[in-house]
Amino acid sequence: MIGLAYLYGIDMEVDRNRGFEFITSSAENNLYEAMSFLYNAYEYGLYCNVDYLSAVYWGNKILTYTVEHYGEESENTIAAYSDLSRTYRNLGDTQKELQFMEKTFELHGKVYGENSIETLKALSNLAMTYHEFRLCSKIIELDQRVEEICVDLFGHDRDTYALLPEISSGYICLDETVIIHLMNNLYLLFNYFLGKKHPDTVTASCLLAICYDHSFFSDKKISLKNDIFIELF
């Protein structure tokens, strides 16, 4: 693209304004590379100021292009949905962020399979977003699905239970006794698989102690903290 030549000063003087004019003209004519350049430029402030509204505009143009040329169930389209969810987040549009993130997860399941690493990552990201916005029922629903996929992928081993702290985050909206029950199970699992003095087990002990600290079980909190001290020293 001649626009890049102006931006980088290839065989001519650097002229960012003319560079953007040429690139924008190419993007308006549906040149994929030009649209991608403008999206990233406005999203990250490359050769211009950050402009999330412009990034959203070009992100949606890219999405339309990828659906038309590659199909909705393609890696390019999944990437376009994922990018737009991030841009809407930066723009502060929560509704759109969730809409595009949910679509990203849906497409991951169709393209890569329901029980795949790629789908698991998309599901975990969506669950954390629900957690951030305190959508409790959706958090628990998705976190349980995360655990199901983990068991399917890894079985009942350390790789599965290493993800349980993230899974348990969804339950913070619930009654404290439910939280403590879950965190106690987490601690017992780490203790069983890794041993009492393993760093991950100690971390689980600390998390359980924090749960007790925010509850009325002060005697259990003190007992557990003493156990942690003994395990460490």
Side-chain angles (χ1 to χ4, degrees):
M1 291 185 293
I2 190 171
L4 293 179
Y6 277 108
L7 283 179
Y8 301 144
I10 302 174
D11 297 328
M12 60 185 67
E13 290 186 12
V14 172
D15 189 331
R16 290 186 177 179
N17 290 331
R18 291 209 69 187
F20 266 84
E21 287 176 7
F22 278 108
I23 294 171
T24 301
S25 177
S26 298
E28 288 172 347
N29 286 306
N30 285 335
L31 181 64
Y32 181 78
E33 291 79 6
M35 290 188 289
S36 296
F37 177 88
L38 289 178
Y39 169 78
N40 287 301
Y42 290 120
E43 173 77 4
Y44 300 109
L46 305 176
Y47 304 102
C48 63
N49 294 325
V50 170
D51 185 343
Y52 294 130
L53 285 174
S54 294
V56 161
Y57 173 80
W58 290 111
N60 276 292
K61 295 276 283 186
I62 291 170
L63 177 59
T64 300
Y65 181 94
T66 58
V67 171
E68 290 178 353
H69 289 79
Y70 304 111
E72 183 171 69
E73 296 179 16
S74 69
E75 292 185 359
N76 298 74
T77 300
I78 291 175
Y81 273 111
S82 179
D83 287 343
L84 274 168
S85 70
R86 181 188 62 246
T87 306
Y88 278 119
R89 177 187 182 86
N90 292 334
L91 192 59
D93 191 332
T94 302
Q95 184 176 355
K96 284 286 189 181
E97 176 193 353
L98 288 174
Q99 176 187 332
F100 279 80
M101 189 168 281
E102 287 169 348
K103 187 65 177 180
T104 302
F105 165 61
E106 176 190 331
L107 290 176
H108 269 85
K110 290 181 178 179
V111 174
Y112 302 109
E114 290 293 330
N115 293 353
S116 67
I117 291 291
E118 292 81 2
T119 303
L120 174 61
K121 290 177 181 177
L123 181 60
S124 298
N125 290 335
L126 181 56
M128 284 188 285
T129 302
Y130 283 146
H131 167 67
E132 181 178 350
F133 296 114
R134 313 291 288 184
L135 301 175
C136 299
S137 61
K138 286 187 174 291
I139 296 168
I140 295 170
E141 176 188 341
L142 289 190
D143 282 348
Q144 289 172 340
R145 182 68 184 124
V146 169
E147 185 171 11
E148 290 172 5
I149 295 177
C150 285
V151 171
D152 185 76
L153 287 172
F154 308 117
H156 294 278
D157 62 11
R158 179 180 175 180
D159 288 324
T160 298
Y161 295 112
L163 293 171
L164 284 178
E166 294 182 17
I167 295 171
S168 68
S169 68
Y171 291 82
I172 64 168
C173 302
L174 299 180
D175 182 83
E176 64 184 19
T177 56
V178 178
I179 307 170
I180 290 173
H181 175 73
L182 182 73
M183 295 307 298
N184 186 61
N185 286 343
L186 171 65
Y187 166 68
L188 292 175
L189 286 167
F190 274 123
N191 188 35
Y192 176 80
F193 282 103
L194 306 177
K196 199 169 186 178
K197 294 187 177 182
H198 191 279
D200 290 345
T201 307
V202 174
T203 299
S205 301
C206 293
L207 290 173
L208 182 56
I210 291 171
C211 290
Y212 284 136
D213 197 33
H214 289 82
S215 70
F216 297 104
F217 302 101
S218 57
D219 56 333
K220 291 188 176 183
K221 174 188 68 176
I222 294 171
S223 174
L224 189 59
K225 286 185 174 179
N226 286 336
D227 288 344
I228 294 171
F229 180 82
I230 293 171
E231 289 162 16
L232 288 174
F233 304 102

